[in-house]
Amino acid sequence: MKILEVLWNIFSNPLFYKLTLTASTPLLFASLGGVFSEVTGVVNIALEGIMLLGAFSSVVITYYTGNVWLGFLLSIPIGIGFSWFHAWASIKWRGNQIVSATALILVAQGLTGFLMEPIFGQPGQTPYVGRIEEITLPGISSIPFIGEAIGTISPIVLIAFAMVFFAWFLIYKTPLGLRMRSVGENPEAADTLGVDVFKIRYFGVLMSGALASMGGAFLSIGEVGNFRELMTGGRGFIALAAMILGNWNPIGAMWACLMFGMSEALANQLQSSPILNVPATAKPLFNLFPFVVTLVVVAGLIGRTRPPAADGVPYEKEE
Amino acid sequence: MNNRVWSFLVPFFSVIIALLIAAVVIILIGQNPVIAYKAMIEGAFGNIQALADTVIKTTPLILTGLAVGFGFRAGLFNIGAEGQMIMGGILATVVGMHMRGIPPALAIPLTMIAGMLGGAAWASIAGYLKAKTGAHEVVSTIMLNWIATYISSYLITGPLAVGSGTPKSPEIAPSAKLPPIVTVGALEMTSGILISILSAVVIYIVLEKTKTGYEVKAVGFNPYAAEYGGINISKNIVMCMAISGALAGLAGALEVMGLHHRFLGTLSGGKGFDGISIALIGQNHPIGIIFASFLIAALRTGSSNMQFVGVPKHIVTIIQGIVIFLVAADRIVKTLLRFRKVKR
């Protein structure tokens, strides 16, 4: 069986696990962003757009400052500012959250394409601006297999996984997290107990902007060092599916992101496998692999998950 | 003011505000918005060729707008018009290629129906999943868009590929091509526009005058009450998605039959996503959607002309995004309009 041999080659190679982690990282940031927003009761399908803007702005900032870390860090307030529009429309003006988020996706697509020419003088793709270097973890890098897989890794990947535990701790172990969850489950009751529903929801949405933006920045200056038009390629929506699969819980979302990341890595490895020798024309078919996995999993498992009760419902304070 | 006036005023002022904000963006990159907008208007209506181009671009937009708008009426958010249009285009191409020797009176409707079936089948997957497992149509239609995109790029570089250069399929049979109404220079203004407008009228009649339309609106308005009233929700969801997908599929078929005469890799080019803007600007009303499509088509045609005065054409996407944003949060516009009359 040729395919078994190919799969064995892929799964026994430590670099495959590194690829999986790298592919999971942008999803992980965006997915945690989705958790923050939806736990407080605001649906945010704009993750795709925020990621795109994060990917672009980090490249622009790096281009002007020459410092990739500055590019990464300063793209965070840009993501926050951009997601503020979604918060403003859906919390203050009680607008349709899905429609408002769709608008942000369009604005992000338009804006990143629009600014490319005035800033870089060329459409489609920016020049290489540099990328965040990988670091070698002392101790771990000398362990066989594991060392080869994660011994040398981008610090952003580590930040992403640290964020999972930060999010989990914040949402489930702190008074703020309790407030967030109560606002998402029953805003009326939370309001009666003196919780500022609007403020907590703004916090949730703005956090989602910060995180999704980091996810986008990893795609550009974390991995390839430049920005291509529409480079997020649907990852914001896969992250959304991961959040649903993970039952609106940071740890659950992490496992789902790892699964999607692995399917992306697997598709990449399969199409470049020398044994399988995939003809160039058939390669597009491998790209649809993660999307098929998402569709099947969302369809198969969603019955067992439950969103926060007030998710997507605008809150109207009684006069 | 009553609802009917608002449903016209909100999108109208949203467009105006969006154009103003876009003007600021144009100033920020150091260009003159007056020159830019003048170029845009000339590019869209300046001469007969520009106008023909605008009408050609309007044709598929009416149908993707109807697809999204019909879904909205049933409470379904069909972001998948993009993928449904691609699948419709593929199926229409495959059927159209085999229509050699068959008279146009048969070949044209068969090819068109193939496109509608392609779109309907693709959308039904999302409808079925929503009805059976509760999978949200936003996530599943987006996944289906990507899957359709990769399938189409596989088909036109692999099994369906002909010639060299840009990936493309073989031409469809002459009998399956839609005859042009008028030919302006190299542009053929196809009779597809008539089919699009006719579709809008049919959807209007279905929604306003039939039992099906009543059920669709009842489900969209309040699914629980509709179910209590004896309407089968699951069946309705699958049917609405299928009709919605058939409209998008027809858009794909008309692009193939009237414009390109073959399947191209860039068939959809965001027209499915444009459908969302159009449905919202047209307030989900079939006749409103015709006008909204013409507006978006004019912005698109005009924006190509704006590139000559140094403004990237992506400005249109920004304008669309701002319009959608303001329609989503329509209270912003309503508050602005009321501000002069009622002091807060």
Side-chain angles (χ1 to χ4, degrees):
Chain A
M1 288 291 278
K2 211 157 83 173
I3 186 71
L4 284 181
E5 191 193 340
V6 172
L7 286 176
W8 167 251
N9 280 346
I10 292 174
F11 280 96
S12 62
N13 185 351
L15 289 178
F16 173 69
Y17 298 94
K18 185 175 172 179
L19 260 176
T20 297
L21 289 180
T22 316
S24 308
T25 296
L27 301 176
L28 199 49
F29 279 118
S31 194
L32 290 174
V35 171
F36 267 98
S37 179
E38 300 212 2
V39 152
T40 66
V42 182
V43 170
N44 190 357
I45 67 160
L47 297 174
E48 175 83 9
I50 303 167
M51 282 177 94
L52 196 61
L53 201 66
F56 181 71
S57 58
S58 60
V59 167
V60 173
I61 294 160
T62 306
Y63 179 72
Y64 282 119
T65 63
N67 184 328
V68 273
W69 276 102
L70 223 53
F72 182 77
L73 291 174
L74 289 182
S75 73
I76 298 171
I78 289 176
I80 293 175
F82 192 56
S83 65
W84 176 83
F85 284 99
H86 182 56
W88 188 59
S90 45
I91 300 167
K92 169 146 199 234
W93 296 99
R94 299 187 294 279
N96 183 319
Q97 296 171 7
I98 291 192
V99 178
S100 141
T102 310
L104 288 204
I105 296 174
L106 273 177
V107 171
Q109 290 178 345
L111 210 56
T112 51
F114 180 85
L115 292 175
M116 201 103 77
E117 269 188 83
I119 295 179
F120 298 98
Q122 65 190 64
Q125 188 169 337
T126 73
Y128 179 83
V129 296
R131 45 176 290 211
I132 292 174
E133 292 304 322
E134 294 188 334
I135 50 169
T136 302
L137 302 171
I140 293 178
S141 58
S142 52
I143 307 171
F145 200 85
I146 294 175
E148 282 177 75
I150 59 167
T152 302
I153 203 150
S154 168
I156 310 294
V157 176
L158 303 177
I159 293 175
F161 283 89
M163 279 292 170
V164 176
F165 294 96
F166 165 73
W168 172 81
F169 185 81
L170 187 85
I171 294 172
Y172 290 100
K173 299 289 166 196
T174 66
L176 175 62
L178 181 65
R179 288 194 188 134
M180 288 170 68
R181 283 180 290 134
S182 70
V183 162
E185 288 292 341
N186 192 340
E188 288 81 11
D191 196 359
T192 316
L193 294 171
V195 177
D196 189 331
V197 176
F198 288 180
K199 234 181 221 163
I200 298 282
R201 286 195 165 177
Y202 266 100
F203 174 73
V205 177
L206 298 186
M207 278 301 285
S208 80
L211 285 157
S213 194
M214 286 192 246
F218 179 71
L219 275 178
S220 58
I221 57 168
E223 280 189 278
V224 288
N226 72 352
F227 177 85
R228 275 178 291 107
E229 216 175 302
L230 309 180
M231 80 185 298
T232 44
R235 285 188 184 80
F237 291 98
I238 294 184
L240 209 63
M243 171 203 72
I244 295 170
L245 271 179
N247 211 357
W248 287 265
N249 177 313
I251 311 283
M254 177 187 76
W255 292 117
C257 287
L258 282 170
M259 187 193 74
F260 289 132
M262 188 173 275
S263 67
E264 194 181 320
L266 188 60
N268 278 333
Q269 294 300 88
L270 281 175
Q271 53 177 299
S272 56
S273 159
I275 306 175
L276 223 50
N277 197 13
V278 179
T281 53
K283 288 194 173 168
L285 283 179
F286 284 90
N287 293 326
L288 58 81
F289 193 62
F291 299 102
V292 174
V293 171
T294 310
L295 190 66
V296 170
V297 170
V298 166
L301 295 178
I302 199 162
R304 287 197 262 132
T305 60
R306 191 189 72 86
D311 202 11
V313 185
Y315 180 62
E316 206 143 346
K317 209 175 164 76
E318 290 191 18
E319 298 296 326
Chain B
M1 267 186 272
N2 65 25
N3 278 335
R4 189 166 290 190
V5 179
W6 277 123
S7 69
F8 169 74
L9 280 182
V10 169
F12 180 77
F13 278 97
S14 300
V15 173
I16 304 277
I17 296 170
L19 286 170
L20 289 174
I21 297 175
V24 175
V25 176
I26 293 172
I27 293 171
L28 287 178
I29 63 158
Q31 300 290 343
N32 184 337
V34 179
I35 294 174
Y37 283 154
K38 196 165 158 264
M40 183 190 237
I41 293 167
E42 269 169 17
F45 314 107
N47 53 51
I48 196 85
Q49 206 148 348
L51 196 62
D53 198 13
T54 303
V55 173
I56 290 170
K57 286 208 167 67
T58 307
T59 307
L61 294 182
I62 293 177
L63 289 163
T64 53
L66 285 173
V68 179
F70 188 82
F72 270 136
R73 282 293 186 93
L76 294 166
F77 200 72
N78 180 10
I79 304 198
E82 197 92 13
Q84 293 142 22
M85 190 176 158
I86 292 172
M87 283 322 214
I90 291 175
L91 222 62
T93 307
V94 171
V95 170
M97 276 159 53
H98 295 94
M99 287 291 128
R100 226 162 288 277
I102 293 168
L106 201 62
I108 289 175
L110 277 178
T111 310
M112 232 182 266
I113 290 169
M116 292 172 77
L117 284 177
W122 205 242
S124 299
I125 300 173
Y128 179 82
L129 293 179
K130 166 125 183 161
K132 288 292 159 197
T133 69
H136 200 288
E137 73 274 15
V138 168
V139 176
S140 52
T141 52
I142 288 284
M143 295 305 139
L144 288 165
N145 281 347
W146 288 101
I147 296 171
T149 306
Y150 287 121
I151 289 178
S152 79
S153 63
Y154 163 66
L155 287 176
I156 55 165
T157 51
L160 280 181
V162 285
S164 53
T166 27
K168 54 183 176 289
S169 79
E171 276 212 1
I172 56 170
S175 58
K177 291 179 185 170
L178 277 177
I181 308 177
V182 274
T183 309
V184 190
L187 289 174
E188 288 186 340
M189 204 169 95
T190 77
S191 37
I193 186 72
L194 303 177
I195 296 165
S196 288
I197 292 173
L198 184 71
S199 308
V201 175
V202 170
I203 291 296
Y204 175 77
I205 294 170
V206 168
L207 277 173
E208 302 303 328
K209 312 280 178 213
T210 66
K211 182 168 165 276
T212 310
Y214 175 77
E215 291 193 358
V216 167
K217 285 187 287 183
V219 172
F221 193 66
N222 186 341
Y224 303 107
E227 187 150 44
Y228 188 70
I231 296 171
N232 184 336
I233 303 285
S234 299
K235 201 190 94 191
N236 246 286
I237 287 173
V238 180
M239 185 197 69
C240 287
M241 281 304 281
I243 293 175
S244 178
L247 289 162
L250 183 58
L254 292 187
E255 290 285 273
V256 169
M257 298 166 70
L259 190 60
H260 310 303
H261 301 144
R262 54 167 36 126
F263 189 84
L264 297 172
T266 53
L267 177 76
S268 160
K271 292 185 189 78
F273 241 64
D274 284 347
I276 301 168
S277 325
I278 289 159
L280 289 164
I281 296 170
Q283 300 279 300
N284 305 328
H285 191 290
I287 310 303
I289 284 170
I290 296 178
F291 289 105
S293 307
F294 189 70
L295 172 76
I296 296 293
L299 288 173
R300 290 237 170 253
T301 339
S303 67
S304 312
N305 206 40
M306 269 200 315
Q307 306 218 74
F308 298 119
V309 298
V311 178
K313 63 176 182 191
H314 293 92
I315 193 79
V316 175
T317 316
I318 302 176
I319 293 173
Q320 266 174 268
I322 300 170
V323 173
I324 298 188
F325 182 82
L326 292 172
V327 173
D330 57 354
R331 284 186 173 91
I332 298 175
V333 179
K334 285 181 181 173
T335 309
L336 282 173
L337 292 180
R338 271 182 187 146
F339 193 66
R340 301 174 80 191
K341 282 187 188 162
V342 202
K343 287 224 166 133
R344 281 198 288 168

